[in-house]
Amino acid sequence: MPRGTHDYDEDDVRVRPGRRGSRPRTRRRPAHEDASPGFVIAVDRGRYRCIVDQGTGDERGVTAMRARELGRKGVVVGDRVALVGDVSGAPDTLARIVRVEPRTSSLRRTADDTDPFERIVVANADQLVIVTALADPEPRPRMIDRQLVAAYDAGMDPLLCLTKADLADAGDLVAEYAPLGVPYVVTRRGGDLDGLRGHLTGRTSVLVGHSGVGKSTLVNVLVPDAERAVSHVNAVTGRGRHTSSSAIALELPGGEGWIIDTPGVRSFGLAHVEPRHVINAFEDLAEGAAERCPPLCDHLQDSCGLDGWVADGRASRARLDSLRRLLASREGEPE
C-alpha cells in the first residue's frame, strides 16, 4: 500500500487535521445494540428519570442524561429510549440516553396560535383526558375544543372528565358535546372514581386542563403515593394557581396502566395544526362540510354550506361558532 494512504472507504471517514497529523474519524455512530430499553417518566433540568426492565421483576428507576450523539432531538415524558452506562439505579449513578425510539403519538401545543415553535408535551400516549371543572372555576368550552383538536391531530382518543359535580350540574355541558360522541365521566368531591378508572385501565393517558380544575386531586386518589400538590382557585380572578411544574408519568396501582399529569395551562395554541385538519375534530360538522361546502371552503365565508347544515338541525350553532373561532384564531385573529 502506498505510503500515506489508508484502507478506509471515503464515505465512512473524514480527516481531521491535528498536531500529530491527519487521522481518520468514522462517521458511523455505534449501534448500541446492547443498550437497555427505558421509559421516561420525568424530566428535570437536563436529567431524565427512566424506568428500566419493566415487567421483569427487576424494574427500577434510573437517572440519565442525553448523549451528545442525539443532537437536537428532544426527549420528553412518555418516550421509549435506549440507555447505556450505569443502569443499576444505584444512588449517584448516571446513564446516557443514546436513542429515542419512534413515537406512536405526540401531543403538541404552541404558546399561541401564531407561534411557529411547537412543543411536544408528551409522547406515546393513546388517550387525552380533558379535565374540566363544572364550577370554581367555570368551564371553558373553547379550551375544551382546542384540546379536542390537539387530541385528534395526535391520533389520541379523547375523554372528557367533568369534575366538581357537587357544585354544578353536568347536563348542559354533556349535551353540548353529545354530537361529537366524546366519552365522558363525571366526578364529585369525595365521590368514587370507578368510572374514570375503567377508562384508564390498560392505557397510557395524559391529563390536561387549566389550573384549579382538580387534576392533582384526581391523581392523588388514583395513585395514593403520588403526593401531587393541590391548588386553590383565586376568588377574585377565578383562576387556579400552577402547582405542577412539569409532566410526570405515574403507574396505576396493580400495573393497570399509566397516567401522565401535566402542568395546568391557560392557553392551548394550535399553530402546529393544519387549518384543513381542524374540522376533523368536529365530526358532526365534517360530514356537513363534505356534503355541502364548495371546494376550498375555509368555513368562514358567506357561501359556506355549514350554515344550512345547522339550520336543518344537523348540528348545533354553538359547535359551528366554536369551529369558526378556532379557524379565525389560526389566521392570527383574536378569538
Side-chain angles (χ1 to χ4, degrees):
M1 181 183 299
R3 185 178 181 183
T5 63
H6 301 277
D7 188 18
Y8 293 99
D9 189 312
E10 290 183 357
D11 291 333
D12 293 340
V13 301
R14 55 184 174 183
V15 175
R16 180 175 63 183
R19 290 182 297 176
R20 298 185 179 180
S22 300
R23 59 187 177 93
R25 184 175 67 180
T26 180
R27 286 182 178 178
R28 292 181 178 174
R29 292 177 175 173
H32 296 298
E33 295 176 353
D34 59 345
S36 299
F39 173 55
V40 180
I41 62 170
V43 180
D44 182 21
R45 293 171 289 186
R47 293 293 183 263
Y48 303 85
R49 191 64 177 169
C50 307
I51 297 295
V52 300
D53 288 340
Q54 284 182 283
T56 66
D58 190 28
E59 182 174 306
R60 60 198 179 279
V62 172
T63 300
M65 60 180 291
R66 292 171 63 255
R68 184 177 299 177
E69 60 202 74
L70 283 182
R72 294 181 177 272
K73 188 173 184 62
V75 181
V76 300
V77 171
D79 267 327
R80 298 285 176 178
V81 298
L83 298 153
V84 300
D86 194 330
V87 294
S88 68
D92 301 322
T93 59
L94 191 64
R96 287 186 300 125
I97 297 175
V98 294
R99 186 170 63 249
V100 178
E101 306 298 351
R103 292 164 174 158
T104 58
S105 69
S106 297
L107 177 64
R108 302 174 294 166
R109 62 181 287 258
T110 55
D112 55 47
D113 293 316
T114 60
D115 184 359
F117 301 103
E118 68 182 50
R119 174 185 173 223
I120 298 179
V121 183
V122 297
N124 299 320
D126 55 12
Q127 181 170 237
L128 184 67
V129 182
I130 301 170
V131 184
T132 299
L134 293 166
D136 189 34
E138 294 298 313
R140 296 168 57 186
R142 285 157 61 182
M143 174 71 87
I144 296 173
D145 293 341
R146 288 174 166 274
Q147 292 166 344
L148 283 172
V149 170
Y152 289 123
D153 179 67
M156 300 167 62
D157 296 328
L159 172 67
L160 190 57
C161 179
L162 306 178
T163 64
K164 305 184 184 181
D166 51 303
L167 300 181
D169 184 73
D172 290 344
L173 199 57
V174 168
E176 187 68 27
Y177 289 92
L180 287 177
V182 178
Y184 69 91
V185 293
V186 179
T187 71
R188 63 182 60 245
R189 290 169 176 166
D192 68 69
L193 298 181
D194 291 346
L196 178 57
R197 284 191 183 93
H199 285 279
L200 302 176
T201 299
R203 312 197 70 168
T204 299
S205 305
V206 184
L207 276 63
V208 298
H210 57 280
S211 301
V213 297
K215 282 193 302 88
S216 296
T217 299
L218 293 176
V219 170
N220 288 336
V221 175
L222 293 166
V223 186
D225 58 353
E227 299 181 350
R228 298 294 271 174
V230 178
S231 71
H232 299 281
V233 176
N234 186 300
V236 176
T237 66
R239 293 179 174 179
R241 179 174 55 86
H242 294 283
T243 52
S244 302
S245 59
S246 60
I248 184 171
L250 301 162
E251 189 172 23
L252 293 172
E256 296 183 346
W258 286 84
I259 56 174
I260 302 176
D261 188 20
T262 62
V265 295
R266 290 176 181 160
S267 64
F268 210 101
L270 298 173
H272 61 282
V273 179
E274 290 290 333
R276 66 178 182 275
H277 294 161
V278 174
I279 195 172
N280 291 335
F282 296 76
E283 294 179 6
D284 51 336
L285 297 172
E287 182 183 357
E291 288 188 17
R292 301 194 182 182
C293 290
L296 303 180
C297 179
D298 63 6
H299 310 300
L300 298 173
Q301 57 202 44
D302 293 338
S303 59
C304 177
L306 288 178
D307 290 290
W309 184 259
V310 168
D312 290 345
R314 305 295 295 275
S316 74
R317 170 58 58 180
R319 302 303 297 146
L320 180 55
D321 289 346
S322 185
L323 169 67
R324 284 176 169 162
R325 283 196 301 266
L326 286 176
L327 293 172
S329 68
R330 283 293 292 109
E331 298 295 324
E333 301 174 17
E335 287 187 72

